[in-house]
Amino acid sequence: MADSYETFAADYDWLFDDDVLTDGGAINYPAAARLLQRTGPGRTVLDASCGTGINAAALARRGFDVWATDGSEAMVEQAAARFRREQLAIPARRSLWADLPSTLAERFDIVLCVGNSLVHAVGRDAMVEALTGLRRMARPGGHVVRVAPRVLTRHGRRCLSFYAWEIPERLHDEHVAHIAFVFEDGDDARTHEYPVSFRPFTVAELRERLELAGLREVDSDFDDSGDQYCLIAEATQA
């Protein structure tokens, strides 16, 4: 998974509108927003799929004590650069989810794993291992949060971004998303394409794997008519 993001990281922010870059993305989904409002500023948050640091930076600006990790070194570098630009004191580390308990000594009130990140855990066992690592990063009483064609103009550049999907016959086989950016360059266009592999799962499978990882669902805004949702869980065991 991490290798596919090494070059993608430089263009990643073009996937998002300017308001997302300012205010965050999945952290504003109803269930996540309810949890953050109940928890309140000053509490500790680990963004364990930080990407380029969009959500981590937004939370730090709201007054949370934030740490950021990602499985891709390139994404962590982009996130750290964002934090420096915005003068935010957010520690950033590269770590896979299962390795988090041995990478960080700290434990957190909220652990985030948002966006399309968890689909990179290949199969039930790998997802349970990842969720167990996330659970172990939460303090007692803490919570784990699991929550992607337009033309954008930014800093004088125009870019069209879109997805092209390779969908296999069976749901649980490897899928590939070709994420493409077309940059306007005078009368010409430059294209950047990034194939990203993932394995989808149903919400029932996610709930089963949360239970196997020692987590219990406490809130969700899942709706089978929508294409995005957020789920909040807390530890059921130490």
Side-chain angles (χ1 to χ4, degrees):
M1 178 276 293
D3 289 344
S4 62
Y5 286 92
E6 292 309 300
T7 54
F8 183 17
D11 290 333
Y12 188 75
D13 283 0
W14 286 99
L15 289 174
F16 306 104
D17 292 326
D18 288 344
D19 59 345
V20 173
L21 298 184
T22 300
D23 299 325
I27 57 173
N28 297 313
Y29 291 2
R34 289 193 292 267
L35 174 63
L36 291 166
Q37 184 174 22
R38 290 196 306 270
T39 305
R43 305 301 286 274
T44 58
V45 178
L46 171 64
D47 186 349
S49 54
C50 70
T52 59
I54 295 168
N55 288 309
L59 289 170
R61 289 193 294 270
R62 296 182 195 181
F64 289 90
D65 180 8
V66 183
W67 288 60
T69 64
D70 198 278
S72 163
E73 186 67 40
M75 286 292 196
V76 171
E77 290 174 358
Q78 291 288 331
R82 181 187 303 280
F83 304 152
R84 288 193 297 271
R85 288 196 305 272
E86 300 188 19
Q87 298 182 332
L88 298 171
I90 302 176
R93 304 282 190 276
R94 180 192 179 278
S95 179
L96 301 178
W97 298 308
D99 298 333
L100 283 168
S102 60
T103 301
L104 300 180
E106 293 75 8
R107 295 300 180 262
F108 301 87
D109 298 306
I110 296 175
V111 179
L112 298 175
C113 182
V114 297
N116 289 324
S117 53
L118 202 55
V119 295
H120 296 303
V122 182
R124 190 182 85 161
D125 292 347
M127 189 183 295
V128 171
E129 184 181 27
L131 290 168
T132 300
L134 294 170
R135 172 183 58 78
R136 291 177 61 194
M137 298 309 297
R139 288 175 175 158
H143 294 81
V144 175
V145 182
R146 165 77 187 101
V147 246
R150 59 199 173 178
V151 177
L152 294 178
T153 301
R154 188 175 295 147
H155 306 306
R157 303 177 74 196
R158 285 171 52 83
C159 177
L160 167 69
S161 64
F162 59 91
Y163 290 76
W165 302 90
E166 290 183 27
I167 306 297
E169 292 184 2
R170 297 184 300 177
L171 172 67
H172 294 95
D173 288 345
E174 182 182 50
H175 291 51
V176 178
H178 295 269
I179 304 173
F181 302 90
V182 182
F183 292 92
E184 184 180 89
D185 187 8
D187 293 331
D188 298 322
R190 295 182 294 105
T191 303
H192 299 177
E193 180 182 340
Y194 305 96
V196 179
S197 63
F198 63 98
R199 292 180 186 266
F201 50 85
T202 67
V203 68
E205 289 171 329
L206 174 59
R207 285 167 170 154
E208 175 202 22
R209 295 165 191 182
L210 285 168
E211 183 177 349
L212 290 170
L215 290 160
R216 176 175 63 89
E217 179 183 347
V218 295
D219 195 8
S220 173
D221 50 37
F222 175 75
D223 180 345
D224 59 11
S225 65
D227 61 356
Q228 295 178 324
Y229 65 93
C230 178
L231 190 150
I232 311 296
E234 65 181 13
T236 59
Q237 61 189 53

